[in-house]
């Protein structure tokens, strides 16, 4: 059975984001709010007013305008690059570039080997310019996750 990207996205949305939890106090607070909690802009109509909440716990935080609600999203620092049958040539190439080029010497590269020729995954912690933050790029070989009968 083939799984499409839209199915994976829908599954991710359904299983990684908690639905908003509103108690009576939260409902009253949202209903009474006339301005954005973050930028104090006056709400002109109902469509500008959003229930800003944690997507991890589902707890209501405050009433927010569209701009603030979008800018307050959870920032990801880990990205997964899924490549089909990449554990031979492609991962070797990435490792060769990562270890031999001085331009990438500040990358922290970790490999989970299957044996001396094949890898299960490759993780690269890449520093962000002018910041102490590092973004993790994890390369996974999707071919390994197929079931054969």
């Amino acid at each position: 059975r083939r799984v499409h990207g839209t199915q994976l996205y829908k599954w991710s949305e359904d299983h990684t984001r908690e639905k908003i939890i509103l108690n009576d106090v939260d409902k009253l607070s949202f209903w009474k709010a006339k301005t954005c909690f973050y930028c104090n802009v006056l709400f002109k109509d109902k469509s500008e007013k959003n229930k800003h909440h944690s997507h991890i716990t589902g707890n209501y935080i405050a009433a927010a305008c569209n701009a603030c609600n979008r800018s307050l999203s959870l920032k990801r620092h880990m990205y997964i690059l899924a490549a089909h049958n990449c554990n031979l040539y492609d991962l070797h190439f990435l490792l060769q570039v990562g270890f031999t080029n001085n331009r990438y010497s500040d990358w922290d590269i970790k490999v989970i080997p299957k044996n001396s020729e094949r890898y299960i995954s490759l993780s690269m912690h890449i520093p962000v310019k002018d910041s102490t933050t590092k973004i993790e790029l994890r390369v996974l070989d999707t071919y390994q996750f197929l079931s054969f009968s």
Side-chain angles (χ1 to χ4, degrees):
R1 184 178 153 210
R2 183 173 279 190
V3 177
H4 296 282
T6 51
Q7 291 171 315
L8 289 173
Y9 178 78
K10 175 145 178 34
W11 183 92
S12 173
E13 286 291 307
D14 292 344
H15 294 88
T16 61
R17 292 186 180 210
E18 288 296 317
K19 304 285 187 242
I20 189 167
I21 300 166
L22 285 172
N23 58 33
D24 292 336
V25 174
D26 295 336
K27 289 176 187 175
L28 185 62
S29 171
F30 179 75
W31 183 74
K32 284 186 172 184
K34 303 292 182 214
T35 61
C36 174
F37 179 79
Y38 300 99
C39 68
N40 291 321
V41 168
L42 189 65
F43 295 124
K44 294 176 187 154
D45 58 31
K46 289 181 189 178
S47 66
E48 290 185 355
K49 196 172 176 182
N50 294 283
K51 295 176 183 108
H52 179 59
H53 65 285
S54 167
H55 288 265
I56 296 170
T57 63
N59 294 334
Y60 171 76
I61 299 170
C65 66
N66 289 330
C68 288
N69 193 42
R70 273 185 260 124
S71 69
L72 292 166
S73 65
L74 185 64
K75 304 291 186 236
R76 249 180 216 248
H77 293 290
M78 197 232 346
Y79 298 92
I80 295 176
L81 173 63
H84 194 67
N85 202 19
C86 71
N87 70 6
L88 290 171
Y89 176 77
D90 299 327
L91 288 184
H92 284 278
F93 177 74
L94 285 172
L95 283 172
Q96 182 180 7
V97 169
F99 283 123
T100 59
N101 193 333
N102 286 335
R103 184 174 174 196
Y104 306 109
S105 61
D106 54 349
W107 288 18
D108 182 17
I109 299 174
K110 293 186 171 101
V111 176
I112 300 175
K114 191 172 188 177
N115 58 37
S116 62
E117 290 293 317
R118 294 178 183 257
Y119 308 118
I120 294 172
S121 83
L122 168 69
S123 295
M124 297 173 277
H125 296 268
I126 305 163
V128 177
K129 277 187 181 179
D130 304 323
S131 173
T132 58
T133 305
K134 285 192 173 190
I135 293 175
E136 180 182 359
L137 175 63
R138 189 173 295 168
V139 183
L140 297 175
D141 184 6
T142 57
Y143 186 74
Q144 297 178 78
F145 300 106
L146 292 177
S147 62
F148 295 99
S149 51

